Amino acid sequence: MLIPRYFFSDDYTEFYDYFLSKPYRRRTFQKGDIIWNLGETIRYVYYIESGIVKTFVEHEDGYHKILHFHSDGTVFPGCQNSAFKIESSIGTEALSKVEALEFTRENFYQMYQENMALNARILETYSMYINLFIYESAHQDYNNAFIKVCNLLYLFSVHSPTGTPNRIDLTQQDIADILAISLVNVTNNLARLRKEKIIASHRKWIEITDYPKLVSYCSNETLNS
């Protein structure tokens, strides 16, 4: 059974040649560039050839939450005909140099309609988003902060962007922004994991040193999702 994913990669690589056959503009974004800006609705859809981006939502009071990450072989922000008000509160930032194919919203929607395999893949991707958001609202929100941190580290180890399950490429601030808890709370819980020799901290990444012990702290709905 599929478990919730925060990091998406290689979901659309089989459609690369098809994408190249359609009208597109090749784009390069540098680290820190905003690809989908706050205050905007969806105008373009991107196929990421290389690099990593994070998508976040920002409330008017300054509250910031990371929704998910996308890397090589993925499409974002997706494809729908309707414009939703929440789109103006969502942004996407390049975390590294990003090479991408840019399609207009209208052209990509037409591709979605004419290619049934692409249509099915987009629906599957949307299902994964829904699975993630239901998991967060129905389960993760009710866990204490320590279990939330353990769950997140476990989920990132299962879908590791580096291909190395023991390496988690998240900063403490990233963890706080994903889980919507304070940075102090994250720091204290990571300190507990270090004290129990479950993790080792490095600059901007975390190493899992006792995977079975980490799993023992995770909630059942995370392990059995």
Side-chain angles (χ1 to χ4, degrees), residues 53-133:
V53 303
K54 72 173 181 181
T55 297
F56 59 92
V57 63
E58 188 168 283
H59 192 267
E60 58 190 17
D61 64 1
Y63 167 77
H64 185 99
K65 176 176 170 54
I66 295 175
L67 300 177
H68 40 64
F69 300 82
H70 285 80
S71 185
D72 306 15
T74 58
V75 167
F76 88 96
C79 179
Q80 66 270 344
N81 197 32
S82 301
F84 297 96
K85 182 176 174 57
I86 191 64
E87 293 174 15
S88 63
S89 299
I90 298 175
T92 298
E93 177 185 356
L95 298 182
S96 65
K97 181 179 179 181
V98 173
E99 301 284 350
L101 307 180
E102 181 183 83
F103 303 90
T104 66
R105 177 179 183 150
E106 294 75 19
N107 283 348
F108 199 87
Y109 188 72
Q110 183 177 350
M111 293 157 58
Y112 164 83
Q113 290 180 306
E114 73 179 23
N115 187 316
M116 294 310 297
L118 177 61
N119 184 301
R121 184 57 51 84
I122 290 172
L123 288 176
E124 185 67 21
T125 302
Y126 272 49
S127 296
M128 288 189 280
Y129 292 154
I130 293 170
N131 181 47
L132 172 60
F133 298 146

Side-chain angles (χ1 to χ4, degrees), residues 146-147 149-157 165-166 168 193 196-199 206-219 223:
F146 178 70
I147 295 176
V149 170
C150 292
N151 286 342
L152 185 68
L153 296 178
Y154 168 77
L155 292 175
F156 264 84
S157 74
N166 287 353
I168 310 298
L193 290 172
E196 296 186 28
K197 302 188 185 306
I198 296 173
I199 66 167
I206 296 168
E207 179 185 4
I208 300 176
T209 53
D210 191 336
Y211 196 78
K213 187 68 177 295
L214 174 67
V215 169
S216 73
Y217 281 131
C218 293
S219 59
L223 301 175

Side-chain angles (χ1 to χ4, degrees), residues 161-209:
T162 63
T164 307
N166 287 353
R167 177 180 175 127
I168 310 298
D169 284 278
L170 293 173
T171 65
Q172 293 187 23
Q173 188 62 60
D174 288 337
I175 295 172
D177 288 345
I178 293 171
L179 297 177
I181 61 179
S182 71
L183 183 59
V184 171
N185 214 334
V186 171
T187 301
N188 290 339
N189 285 299
L190 291 179
R192 174 181 170 182
L193 290 172
R194 283 195 301 271
K195 184 177 180 179
E196 296 186 28
K197 302 188 185 306
I198 296 173
I199 66 167
S201 295
H202 303 273
R203 190 172 184 271
K204 295 187 177 182
W205 66 282
I206 296 168
E207 179 185 4
I208 300 176
T209 53

